[in-house]
Amino acid sequence: MSEHHYCEVADLAEARSELDEIRHHLHKHPELSYEEADTSRFVADKLESWGYDVTRRVGGHGVVAALKAGTSTRTVGVRADMDALPIQELTGLDYASIHAGKMHACGHDGHTTVLLGAARQLAKTRNFDGTVHLIFQPAEEAGSDSGAQRMIADGLFERFPCEAIFGLHNHPGVPIGTFGFRAGPLMAACDTVKLRVHGKGGHAARPHLAVDPVLVGSSIVMALQSVVSRNVDPNEAAVVTVGAFRSGHAPNVIPEDAVLELSVRSFSPEVRATLEARIRALVQAQAQSYGATVDIEFIRGYPVLINSEAETEFARQVAEELVGPEHVIAPFPPIAGSEDFAYYLQQRPGCFVRLGNGEGRPMLHNARYDFNDENLTIGAAFWTRLVERFLSKERA
Ligand SMILES: [Zn+2]
Ligand SMILES: [Zn+2]
C-alpha cells in the first residue's frame, strides 16, 4: 500500500499569523450585502498572488478561483460567504469594525479566511489531481435575490464545473474545532408573510358602524396557532410566528387597518407548501367572517438546505481523520435558521458543515460576537484535506 500524506492541522501552523492578520483586516472593514467591493478585491488579489486563475464579478461581487493540478478532469467546489450585517459592533476588540453600523457578526470574515487559508495551502502543496473551484460569495445575508442565486444565474456551474460543492458555517455553543454533520435537511426554509387587514374605522362608542381590524387581526393570530398543531405531521418540525402586529393609536378610535408580519419555517418542501396553503386559507376566512378584506404578501426566502448522503458521509470521514471522532457530532441537530447555500445543493450534491465556535460565547448576529481564530487553521486544514481526498491522486 502506498503511503499518501493528506493535510493535517499542524501543516497550517506556519500560516497562522498570516491568517489572523487576514481575518482581522476583514473584520475591521465589513461590507454589507451587495456592497462587498473592497472585500472582493482583497480576496481576488490574494488568490492571484498565490497563482490562482481568478474570475471577478461573478453574480455581482462574487469571485471564483481555479487551480488545476495533474491531468484528471475531476472537479470540486468549496464556497465561503463574504458579507457583513447592519449591526453596531460592541466587542471592544482592537480590530473591531471601523464602519459605523456594520459588523461581521455572523463570522463570514472567518469563513472567507478559512477558505483563503486552504487556497494558500493547496497552491503550495498541489497534492491533488483535478481542478478545485474556490467560490467566494457575496450577499448571503440578503434574505432574497441573494449571492448564491445571482452566482448560479451568472452561470457558476457551467463556467466552473463542480461535481460536488461544500461549505461551512461556524456554530457558537459547540466546542472550538468540533465539526457537525447531518445528511438530509439541516437548515430550515424561511418565508415571510405580510398581512394588511382592511376594516372600517370609526368611533369607539359606535362599533356596530365600524369593521374593527384589531379584532380581525386578533382572530387571525389565534387561528394561525392551529396550523402547526393541527395541519403538520407531529413528526415534522415547523414554526409559524406572528412577530409584528400594528394597529391603532388612540383608545377612543377604531382604526382603519391592521398590519401583521409572520415568520414561517419548515424542513421539507411538502410542509412548506402546506403552511402556505393553510395560512392563506385561514387568513382569508377570518377576515371574510368579520366583513373585512385582507392583502396577503407571501415572500419566499431561502429553501430547505438538504445535504446529500454520500457527500455528507465523505466530509464526516475527512473531519474524523483530521480531528478524531471525539470532535465530530453526527448527526448534528437541525437548525431553524436558513442559509442560501441551499440553492447550490438544489443543483449539485454536497454538504454544508457546522464548525463549533466555542461554548459560552455570544451567538450569531449578536453585537458582541466574534469568530474564533483557533478555527482558522483547523478549518483551512479541513478544506485542504477534503479537496485532496475528493481529488485524490489514488482515486484517479
Ligand atoms: Zn448570518
Ligand atoms: Zn452566516
Side-chain angles (χ1 to χ4, degrees), residues 174 178-183 186 307 309 312-317 319-320 324-334 351-354:
V174 166
T178 291
F179 290 85
F181 300 91
R182 183 181 193 86
L186 172 70
N307 285 325
E309 294 278 346
T312 302
E313 174 55 19
F314 166 75
R316 190 196 63 76
Q317 281 174 16
E320 200 173 293
E326 69 276 23
H327 299 298
V328 173
I329 301 171
F332 197 81
C351 180
F352 195 60
V353 179
R354 307 298 291 197

Side-chain angles (χ1 to χ4, degrees), residues 81 83 85 106-108 111 140-141 169-170 338-339 364-365:
D81 41 13
D83 55 329
L85 286 158
C106 203
H108 298 184
H111 306 160
E140 193 286 320
E141 300 283 4
H169 207 292
N170 76 95
S338 69
E339 159 68 52
L364 301 171
H365 294 207

Side-chain angles (χ1 to χ4, degrees), residues 58 80 145 168 227 284 296 298 376:
V58 181
D145 191 20
L168 72 72
V227 176
Q284 286 292 1
I296 305 175
F298 202 100
L376 293 177

Side-chain angles (χ1 to χ4, degrees), residues 42-92:
F42 175 86
V43 164
D45 289 349
K46 283 259 181 258
L47 292 160
E48 266 174 8
S49 77
W50 294 327
Y52 280 79
D53 183 4
V54 175
T55 307
R56 301 174 190 235
R57 303 210 57 78
V58 181
H61 292 301
V63 173
V64 181
L67 187 69
K68 185 173 163 61
T71 54
S72 168
T73 55
R74 301 203 61 202
T75 56
V76 68
V78 186
R79 169 274 210 174
D81 41 13
M82 301 191 289
D83 55 329
L85 286 158
I87 293 175
Q88 180 63 44
E89 182 161 350
L90 295 174
T91 61

Side-chain angles (χ1 to χ4, degrees), residues 96-381:
S97 169
I98 57 167
H99 298 158
K102 300 176 187 179
M103 174 188 177
H104 269 297
C106 203
H108 298 184
D109 52 340
H111 306 160
T112 296
T113 308
V114 160
L115 192 54
L116 285 174
R120 182 185 181 277
Q121 186 68 10
L122 286 164
K124 201 172 96 180
T125 55
R126 296 179 189 244
N127 182 26
F128 61 94
D129 189 14
T131 301
V132 58
H133 286 130
L134 304 179
I135 300 159
F136 292 85
Q137 181 210 300
E140 193 286 320
E141 300 283 4
S144 60
D145 191 20
S146 72
Q149 290 169 280
R150 288 184 176 201
M151 289 187 84
I152 291 167
D154 202 5
L156 177 70
F157 290 127
E158 293 75 33
R159 295 161 68 190
F160 311 100
C162 300
E163 285 169 38
I165 183 158
F166 297 88
L168 72 72
H169 207 292
N170 76 95
H171 198 96
V174 166
I176 298 156
T178 291
F179 290 85
F181 300 91
R182 183 181 193 86
L186 172 70
M187 297 183 67
C190 177
D191 301 322
T192 301
V193 190
K194 293 187 179 174
L195 306 177
R196 183 174 285 273
V197 176
H198 302 282
K200 186 179 172 200
H203 198 293
R206 300 177 71 74
H208 57 296
L209 301 178
V211 174
D212 183 356
V214 176
L215 180 61
V216 179
S218 303
S219 183
I220 288 172
V221 172
M222 294 307 292
L224 289 173
Q225 306 310 309
S226 73
V227 176
V228 174
S229 69
R230 302 292 90 172
N231 299 128
V232 176
D233 182 334
N235 293 311
E236 301 269 7
V239 179
V240 176
T241 291
V242 180
F245 184 172
R246 291 186 295 275
S247 187
H249 299 284
N252 57 349
V253 178
I254 293 172
E256 199 67 35
D257 50 19
V259 171
L260 290 86
E261 294 179 359
L262 286 56
S263 180
V264 180
R265 287 156 196 263
S266 54
F267 288 92
S268 83
E270 294 75 24
V271 171
R272 190 185 198 191
T274 300
L275 296 178
E276 176 170 359
R278 289 304 297 151
I279 289 168
R280 284 185 184 278
L282 285 171
V283 167
Q284 286 292 1
Q286 293 299 317
Q288 200 182 10
S289 74
Y290 290 94
T293 59
V294 60
D295 300 329
I296 305 175
E297 196 187 347
F298 202 100
I299 304 155
R300 291 210 145 206
Y302 302 156
V304 187
L305 184 148
I306 303 173
N307 285 325
S308 61
E309 294 278 346
E311 286 68 24
T312 302
E313 174 55 19
F314 166 75
R316 190 196 63 76
Q317 281 174 16
V318 171
E320 200 173 293
E321 293 165 10
L322 190 75
V323 295
E326 69 276 23
H327 299 298
V328 173
I329 301 171
F332 197 81
I335 301 159
S338 69
E339 159 68 52
D340 80 343
F341 194 82
Y343 291 108
Y344 299 118
L345 292 174
Q346 290 182 334
Q347 308 265 329
R348 293 292 180 277
C351 180
F352 195 60
V353 179
R354 307 298 291 197
L355 174 57
N357 199 53
E359 291 156 296
R361 296 166 64 104
M363 300 309 285
L364 301 171
H365 294 207
N366 181 296
R368 297 180 197 281
Y369 166 86
D370 191 34
F371 185 87
N372 197 315
D373 286 333
E374 294 295 318
N375 274 332
L376 293 177
T377 51
I378 297 168

